[in-house]
Amino acid sequence: MCRASVLIMLLALRGEGRCADGLPPALLEAGADQVVARTDVPDAMRKVGEVRLVRRGVAVVVQTLLATKVLPRVVAEIGKKEAGNWPPGAAGREDMERYVAAIERAAGALRAARDERQDGDRRVRMVIELVATPEVAGLMVGTFGGTEVDGTLQPTERRPLETMALRKTYVFRNMRLILADAFHVPEGEVDRLGPLGPIAGP
């Protein structure tokens, strides 16, 4: 794929992020992010990225940072877990399918851009954010730049490719499921990770 085609693909995805059902831009500004908790995924020995619980103003964010050569495998695993959590007929299944499809689109575009660069770094960097306030919830998926210090990813910039609003019931529950899986705690105990605001359990 030529450089122009990759650019067109990325711009098309970025354009989708500006559509009517996208998240408000203010919820995507990460300048004052407060990282409440973070962990390597799937673990420190097999690390492909990190999952973080983040406070962003009034919003709670469950942020997944991926920096890996095996992105298709990681995205497939995300899809497998999502399908298991939201089987056919379950409330939230439609939102889950939109969530997974957005991640797959972004992963394909980012891999194509990586292959076009041919700069020797085979890792693809993708950021996935579930963002929630009491009024709105949704998804941002994109890429990030930065460094890694003492084994911890240090993002210095994020470039959203796509955003979408999703049902709060789906996002709130999925945030808790992602935290429980990443931090290896029961869903009922994710509250001890830090302030969960609008996604706090009953």
Side-chain angles (χ1 to χ4, degrees):
M1 182 178 294
C2 70
R3 187 179 303 276
S5 298
V6 171
L7 178 60
I8 290 169
M9 185 185 305
L10 291 174
L11 288 174
L13 281 171
R14 189 174 292 123
E16 289 185 30
R18 294 187 181 131
C19 68
D21 69 342
L23 286 172
L27 296 183
L28 304 177
E29 297 296 332
D33 277 6
Q34 176 190 359
V35 179
V36 177
R38 59 158 298 279
T39 189
D40 297 333
V41 288
D43 54 49
M45 295 297 295
R46 299 174 295 160
K47 181 175 179 176
V48 296
E50 300 177 12
V51 167
R52 300 177 171 198
L53 173 61
V54 175
R55 296 293 307 194
R56 180 178 297 158
V58 298
V60 174
V61 181
V62 171
Q63 181 186 74
T64 302
L65 299 171
L66 299 173
T68 177
K69 299 176 183 178
V70 294
L71 187 62
R73 190 184 309 168
V74 175
V75 169
E77 183 63 23
I78 291 173
K80 180 180 177 181
K81 290 180 180 179
E82 287 285 322
N85 289 333
W86 312 92
R93 173 77 183 193
E94 181 181 347
D95 291 89
M96 179 277 289
E97 291 174 346
R98 294 180 65 208
Y99 170 81
V100 171
I103 293 171
E104 290 174 344
R105 284 192 296 272
L110 292 172
R111 288 178 62 220
R114 185 274 316 271
D115 292 344
E116 178 65 23
R117 285 196 314 269
Q118 297 182 345
D119 59 5
D121 185 355
R122 302 303 296 166
R123 295 191 302 174
V124 179
R125 291 171 175 82
M126 185 162 75
V127 55
I128 305 165
E129 292 185 348
L130 285 173
V131 184
T133 74
E135 290 76 33
V136 66
L139 167 72
M140 185 282 285
V141 59
T143 186
F144 68 95
T147 59
E148 189 168 345
V149 179
D150 296 329
T152 300
L153 294 171
Q154 302 285 344
T156 55
E157 61 171 337
R158 292 153 54 260
R159 296 188 293 277
L161 297 178
E162 185 170 355
T163 78
M164 62 177 63
L166 297 167
R167 291 181 181 88
K168 289 187 290 183
T169 49
Y170 165 77
V171 173
F172 291 4
R173 177 79 196 288
N174 207 27
M175 293 171 98
R176 296 181 65 86
L177 290 170
I178 291 169
L179 291 171
D181 181 64
F183 285 87
H184 308 292
V185 298
E187 183 186 350
E189 295 182 16
V190 298
D191 305 76
R192 65 184 175 86
L193 297 174
L196 296 183
I199 70 165

